[in-house]
């Protein structure tokens, strides 16, 4: 069932709920779920406890089964073993129950019988429309309404409501984020999706994007099962201006294996996930602390300027320098104070204080704490300041507590956020005051600057008007892989590309040295000779390429050398011929353009530094399809090698416009043949000086039905 087919409001706030497997045992899953709902929630709807072995549970009437209830509940919470859960949910679906929260594990994590159970649950969803959260999940916590459909013993302690919505697959890390409430983070809703048999993190992103009490959405992802579903949710959130902050596990081989083992889901390529996130405006972070810090900062609003600038305010010269250094290294600008701001600082602080940004009040504030009130608000009100970073290096007890009271007071009057940084391991009353006031202290300057950088970048993305991008994958027919793809070699691949309007060097295949010399005489020397063979993809690795051949003699020698090299490296391989191609002019820069099909996110276009260097430096940029000229230009500017294109240190400027147009043409080609392509590798792509153009020197295409598609383009006698 696709996202948006059913509103989740009756899952998050049902009119009535039944607990299947309700128990008096406070240590059991069913017992904890009952206690959380009856004792620690403020739930006003109908509650029905179901246990066929007991007439009374938790001092309330217990019902033998779902059929005997006086009404059909909106939600059933299931705390019984897998076999019993499947049978009960089949009855629930038939009776019209709309939602189920399934705590139980054993639905496909290890295959076998569990896979059969999972298939039966999917049939329930498909045939009845009932939606399932789980299995193997700790449930759902609607903190803004103080409702817990969960067995977690920590529910009673994690009840600080707020504007952050949280969607996770795993329960342990989700609860870890929930407990950031202890430093002042307010979380309004948490859904843990477990194995995501039906409902996914994407569904809750979509739902929370439309909730007025949620200002920012946090997603902790171990895997993404359904790429288009996630894209739709992220795009919907972006279009209505609801930030999504995501931490995706599985960046290393170890992490990918662990995530797959835990959630039984695909993780996808980390680099491709990151590219998709950037394009959809999802704020990707690197760890849990950054996830929390960034989300809370975004919940306080976006920067008030197109190019935000930061002020640092503290009472320690070393701390001020440390903060300024971190800000500079992150590429963030410090604000330059206006004359009125500088005047207020100069009048209130001693002559030896630093009144330029960063501000060091010195120990003067120890004698007169009101100085903070007067000078900090002046910094906040400076027209160039978008945010004030207030690092506190140590805990001075009562003095720090008084400082915190000033920060809280000024923050309530400020037009920009104040970000307190608590650097000390000693967490005295001042720390608790910040938490209680809704100013969660960040625990280091480095973490604070990371969050600020994400905040600035997201604000820029929103202002640049990129929210309307529509990935082609969302409008394309469903892609189903039925057999293994085939490989189209260089000659046929180039013919197909030329037929699609992509410039390709003139080339022909020779079956003999005499034919090679004849072709070269038509093309004009110098030429390139490349081996052609069905099993030879990396021609240079087997000595199958010779460049700059300037005469018949050079070409004949190259013919013999290539055959000898290939036979030595791959003695069983058949050589179909030698491709003779016009040599590109000297001085070109080698780039790469490629397409690859990610199992989750679909076909992705890549560009970067080409030739042999792509595997060494891995300097690439990626995008979802389609790519227009503006996006192509942005892809190039992301590359570390971009200065090579612009002509650094006396080198010629390359034909950037031609390279951008080539990227667009490759994107158009990929969109036209979206369900035929698995991979395409154009490497190297020759990029000449400005005005000389850009075109592929080698091409390999992998996909489905390629022979049939290439047949109309078969070479006629004498055709180039």
């Amino acid at each position: 069932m696709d996202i948006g087919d059913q509103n989740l409001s009756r899952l998050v706030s049902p009119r009535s709920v039944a607990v299947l497997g309700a128990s008096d045992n406070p240590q059991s899953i069913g017992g904890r779920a009952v206690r959380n709902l009856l004792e620690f929630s403020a739930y006003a709807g109908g509650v029905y406890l179901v246990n066929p072995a007991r007439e009374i549970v938790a001092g309330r009437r217990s019902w033998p089964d779902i059929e005997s209830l006086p009404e059909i509940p909106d939600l059933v919470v299931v705390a019984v073993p897998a076999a019993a859960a499947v049978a009960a949910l089949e009855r629930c679906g038939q009776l019209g129950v709309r939602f189920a929260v399934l705590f139980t594990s054993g639905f496909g994590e290890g295959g076998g019988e569990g896979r059969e159970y999972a298939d039966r649950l999917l049939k329930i969803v498909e045939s009845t429309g009932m939606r399932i959260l789980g299995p193997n999940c700790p449930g759902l916590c609607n903190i803004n309404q103080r409702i817990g459909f969960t067995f977690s013993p920590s529910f009673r302690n994690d009840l600080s409501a707020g504007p952050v919505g949280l969607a996770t697959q795993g329960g342990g890390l989700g609860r870890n984020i929930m407990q950031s409430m202890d430093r002042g983070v307010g979380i309004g809703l948490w859904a843990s999706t477990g194995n995501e048999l039906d409902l996914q993190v994407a569904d809750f992103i979509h739902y929370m994007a439309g909730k007025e009490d949620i200002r920012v959405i946090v997603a902790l992802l171990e895997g993404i099962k359904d790429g288009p579903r996630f894209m739709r949710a992220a795009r919907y959130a972006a279009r209505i201006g609801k930030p999504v902050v995501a931490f995706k596990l599985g960046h290393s081989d170890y992490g990918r294996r662990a995530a797959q083992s835990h959630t039984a889901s695909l993780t996808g390529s980390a680099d491709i996930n990151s590219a998709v996130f950037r394009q959809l405006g999802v704020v990707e972070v690197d760890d849990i602390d950054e996830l929390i810090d960034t989300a809370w900062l975004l919940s306080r609003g976006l920067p008030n300027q197109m190019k935000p600038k930061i002020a640092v305010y503290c009472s320690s010269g070393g701390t001020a320098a440390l903060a300024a250094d971190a800000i500079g290294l992150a590429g963030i600008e410090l604000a330059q104070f206006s004359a009125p701001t500088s005047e207020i600082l100069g009048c209130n602080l001693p002559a030896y204080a630093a009144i330029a940004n960063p501000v060091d009040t010195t120990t003067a504030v120890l004698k007169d704490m009101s100085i903070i009130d007067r000078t900090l608000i002046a910094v906040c009100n400076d027209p160039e300041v978008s945010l004030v970073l207030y690092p506190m290096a140590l805990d001075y007890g009562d003095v720090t507590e008084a400082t915190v009271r000033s920060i809280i007071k000024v923050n309530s009057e400020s037009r920009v956020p104040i970000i307190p940084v608590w650097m000390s391991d000693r967490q005295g009353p001042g720390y608790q005051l910040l938490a209680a006031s809704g100013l969660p202290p960040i625990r280091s300057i480095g973490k604070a600057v990371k969050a600020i950088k994400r905040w600035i970048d997201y604000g820029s993305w929103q202002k640049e008007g990129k929210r309307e991008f529509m990935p082609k994958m969302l409008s394309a027919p469903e892609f189903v892989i039925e057999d293994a793809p085939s490989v189209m070699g260089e000659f046929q691949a180039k013919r197909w590309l030329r037929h699609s309007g992509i410039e390709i060097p003139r080339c022909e295949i020779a079956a003999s040295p005499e034919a090679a010399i004849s072709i070269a005489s038509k093309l004009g020397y110098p030429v390139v000779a490349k081996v052609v063979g069905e099993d030879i993809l990396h021609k240079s690795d087997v000595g199958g390429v010779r460049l700059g051949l300037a005469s018949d003699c050079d070409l004949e020698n190259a013919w013999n050398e290539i055959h000898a090299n290939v036979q030595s490296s791959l003695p069983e391989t058949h050589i179909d011929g030698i491709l003779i191609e016009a040599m590109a002019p000297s001085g070109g820069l080698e780039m790469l353009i490629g397409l690859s099909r990610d199992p989750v996110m679909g076909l992705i276009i890549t560009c970067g530094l080409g030739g042999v260097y792509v595997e060494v430096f891995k300097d690439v940029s990626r995008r979802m399809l389609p790519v227009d000229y503006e996006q192509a230009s942005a892809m190039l500017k992301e590359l570390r090698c971009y200065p090579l294109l612009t002509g650094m240190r006396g080198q010629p400027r390359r034909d950037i416009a031609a390279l951008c147009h080539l990227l667009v043409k490759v994107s158009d080609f990929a969109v036209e043949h979206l369900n035929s392509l698995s991979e395409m590798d154009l490497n190297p792509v020759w990029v000449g000086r400005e005005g000389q153009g850009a075109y592929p020197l080698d091409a390999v295409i992998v996909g489905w039905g390629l022979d049939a598609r290439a047949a109309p383009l078969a070479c006629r006698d004498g055709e180039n």
Side-chain angles (χ1 to χ4, degrees):
M1 187 172 294
D2 200 0
I3 189 167
D5 286 353
Q6 190 172 29
N7 189 292
L8 302 183
S9 59
R10 291 304 178 202
L11 167 62
V12 173
S13 182
R15 293 165 296 190
S16 57
V17 57
V19 181
L20 309 187
S23 172
D24 280 319
N25 180 357
Q27 303 306 315
S28 70
I29 298 296
R32 285 175 173 161
V34 169
R35 197 171 182 204
N36 282 335
L37 186 56
L38 296 180
E39 294 185 33
F40 305 119
S41 294
Y43 180 61
V47 178
Y48 302 104
L49 307 183
V50 178
N51 186 328
R54 291 181 173 272
E55 294 185 357
I56 301 294
V57 173
R60 300 168 66 110
R61 178 181 177 179
S62 174
W63 305 81
D65 49 46
I66 196 75
E67 291 92 342
S68 60
L69 299 182
E71 64 173 317
I72 302 302
D74 286 334
L75 170 67
V76 293
V77 176
V78 183
V80 297
V86 173
L89 288 175
E90 285 174 337
R91 294 194 297 273
C92 288
Q94 293 164 1
L95 291 169
V97 174
R98 298 178 64 182
F99 293 98
V101 173
L102 183 53
F103 299 147
T104 316
S105 59
F107 290 87
E109 300 93 334
E113 187 178 43
R115 186 63 257 171
E116 179 186 343
Y117 291 154
D119 290 342
R120 287 172 63 185
L121 290 183
L122 284 173
K123 288 180 181 177
I124 297 170
V125 173
E126 292 167 0
S127 62
T128 70
M130 182 175 72
R131 308 304 303 271
I132 297 175
L133 176 61
N136 191 26
C137 76
L140 182 142
C141 300
N142 181 350
I143 305 301
N144 281 351
Q145 294 185 18
R146 198 182 174 105
I147 305 172
F149 304 120
T150 177
F151 59 83
S152 172
S154 292
F155 171 73
R156 72 187 77 175
N157 302 315
D158 303 331
L159 293 171
S160 297
V164 175
L166 174 61
T168 71
Q169 288 161 326
L173 288 179
R175 181 59 64 179
N176 173 270
I177 296 170
M178 290 288 285
Q179 294 184 348
S180 65
M181 291 175 176
D182 277 12
R183 63 180 172 101
V185 175
I187 297 175
L189 176 65
W190 173 36
S192 176
T193 57
N195 283 12
E196 296 193 336
L197 182 136
D198 174 27
L199 290 172
Q200 301 178 15
V201 165
D203 298 291
F204 289 95
I205 291 174
H206 192 278
Y207 171 73
M208 290 188 282
K211 291 286 290 176
E212 291 185 1
D213 60 336
I214 300 297
R215 293 202 295 270
V216 61
I217 303 163
V218 168
L220 180 62
L221 299 158
E222 295 170 27
I224 299 174
K225 282 188 172 182
D226 188 331
R229 197 166 177 174
F230 181 86
M231 291 176 191
R232 288 189 185 95
R235 184 173 183 269
Y236 176 66
R239 292 182 72 195
I240 63 174
K242 191 75 61 89
V244 177
V245 185
F247 180 27
K248 170 70 174 61
L249 307 181
H251 279 257
S252 70
D253 288 339
Y254 292 136
R256 280 190 290 274
R257 286 198 293 270
Q260 286 174 331
S261 173
H262 188 196
T263 65
S265 68
L266 291 169
T267 59
S269 161
D271 291 337
I272 288 176
N273 285 329
S274 296
V276 170
F277 289 170
R278 284 194 300 273
Q279 212 166 346
L280 294 174
V282 174
V283 182
E284 186 176 19
V285 299
D286 300 322
D287 61 34
I288 296 291
D289 284 344
E290 191 184 350
L291 186 71
I292 298 164
D293 297 338
T294 304
W296 191 253
L297 179 52
L298 283 165
S299 76
R300 298 177 65 183
L302 295 183
N304 59 1
Q305 296 170 317
M306 188 64 183
K307 294 183 177 180
K309 298 179 182 178
I310 308 304
V312 177
Y313 183 103
C314 64
S315 57
S316 161
T319 304
L322 181 65
D325 213 18
I327 287 169
L329 290 172
I332 301 170
E333 285 191 66
L334 285 173
Q336 291 189 352
F337 295 146
S338 65
T341 303
S342 298
E343 183 178 355
I344 293 171
L345 294 173
C347 291
N348 285 276
L349 293 172
Y352 53 85
I355 62 170
N357 194 9
V359 176
D360 171 19
T361 66
T362 74
T363 56
V365 295
L366 297 178
K367 300 176 184 178
D368 182 3
M369 299 299 295
S370 67
I371 290 176
I372 296 177
D373 291 359
R374 296 191 296 274
T375 55
L376 180 56
I377 192 63
V379 170
C380 291
N381 287 338
D382 188 275
E384 199 168 78
V385 171
S386 293
L387 177 146
V388 178
L389 187 67
Y390 198 134
M392 292 173 280
L394 42 81
D395 186 354
Y396 265 153
D398 293 345
V399 173
T400 302
E401 185 177 352
T403 300
V404 165
R405 292 188 187 280
S406 287
I407 293 173
I408 294 170
K409 176 179 179 296
V410 173
N411 183 73
S412 68
E413 303 167 356
S414 173
R415 64 180 182 83
V416 301
I418 299 175
I419 305 300
V421 181
W422 193 279
M423 299 167 62
S424 174
D425 283 339
R426 183 173 299 161
Q427 297 177 12
Y431 184 96
Q432 306 307 325
L433 269 176
L434 286 170
S437 71
L439 285 176
I442 298 178
R443 294 306 314 277
S444 74
I445 287 174
K447 292 179 186 296
V449 170
K450 271 192 167 185
I452 293 168
K453 176 65 173 169
R454 306 293 189 195
W455 178 74
I456 290 172
D457 289 347
Y458 179 78
S460 298
W461 185 89
Q462 282 279 0
K463 290 181 174 70
E464 287 167 4
K466 299 177 180 178
R467 292 181 287 179
E468 297 303 317
F469 172 74
M470 170 63 80
K472 182 61 182 177
M473 190 177 184
L474 296 186
S475 60
E478 184 179 0
F479 179 77
V480 179
I481 297 176
E482 296 180 347
D483 50 20
S486 59
V487 178
M488 179 185 285
E490 178 181 357
F491 185 64
Q492 285 284 33
K494 285 182 172 179
R495 292 227 171 245
W496 195 12
L497 294 170
R498 182 186 291 118
H499 182 75
S500 298
I502 294 174
E503 182 183 355
I504 298 293
R506 294 177 299 154
C507 60
E508 290 186 40
I509 294 178
S512 67
E514 294 76 17
I517 291 171
S518 174
I519 294 169
S521 67
K522 288 189 297 181
L523 298 180
Y525 287 107
V527 296
V528 180
K530 308 178 191 179
V531 67
V532 178
E534 186 176 344
D535 300 325
I536 307 172
L537 288 182
H538 300 290
K539 296 178 283 292
S540 59
D541 291 352
V542 296
V545 179
R546 287 294 179 267
L547 307 175
L549 306 176
S551 66
D552 294 354
C553 182
D554 288 348
L555 183 52
E556 188 170 359
N557 290 335
W559 180 280
N560 295 328
E561 289 173 4
I562 288 172
H563 277 74
N565 291 339
V566 174
Q567 287 174 358
S568 174
S569 300
L570 301 170
E572 303 299 323
T573 296
H574 176 71
I575 297 177
D576 297 325
I578 301 295
L579 181 70
I580 309 301
E581 183 173 84
M583 182 80 182
S586 62
L589 181 67
E590 291 189 346
M591 299 293 289
L592 166 145
I593 297 176
L595 297 165
S596 59
R597 186 174 293 279
D598 183 79
V600 177
M601 299 301 184
L603 208 57
I604 301 292
I605 189 169
T606 300
C607 75
L609 189 62
V612 298
Y613 299 111
V614 64
E615 295 179 12
V616 177
F617 298 111
K618 295 179 171 55
D619 183 17
V620 297
S621 175
R622 296 180 173 88
R623 289 291 188 280
M624 293 180 285
L625 301 171
V627 167
D628 60 18
Y629 189 92
E630 181 183 358
Q631 290 172 323
S633 177
M635 290 178 74
L636 298 181
K637 291 175 182 176
E638 289 173 4
L639 298 171
R640 296 192 303 277
C641 71
Y642 184 67
L644 298 178
L645 290 166
T646 60
M648 64 177 294
R649 303 194 67 174
Q651 294 296 309
R653 182 178 176 85
R654 308 295 173 172
D655 202 334
I656 296 174
L659 184 55
C660 288
H661 284 300
L662 178 57
L663 274 164
V664 173
K665 286 183 178 180
V666 171
S667 170
D668 293 343
F669 173 82
V671 168
E672 183 181 356
H673 304 288
L674 196 65
N675 283 351
S676 298
L677 297 173
S678 175
E679 303 173 40
M680 185 167 77
D681 188 13
L682 308 182
N683 183 26
V685 169
W686 181 87
V687 184
R689 298 186 181 197
E690 208 162 15
Q692 288 185 319
Y695 48 82
L697 300 183
D698 199 356
V700 176
I701 298 176
V702 182
W704 295 269
L706 300 185
D707 292 339
R709 290 180 179 276
L713 306 177
C715 181
R716 297 191 299 269
D717 290 342
E719 182 185 351
N720 292 326

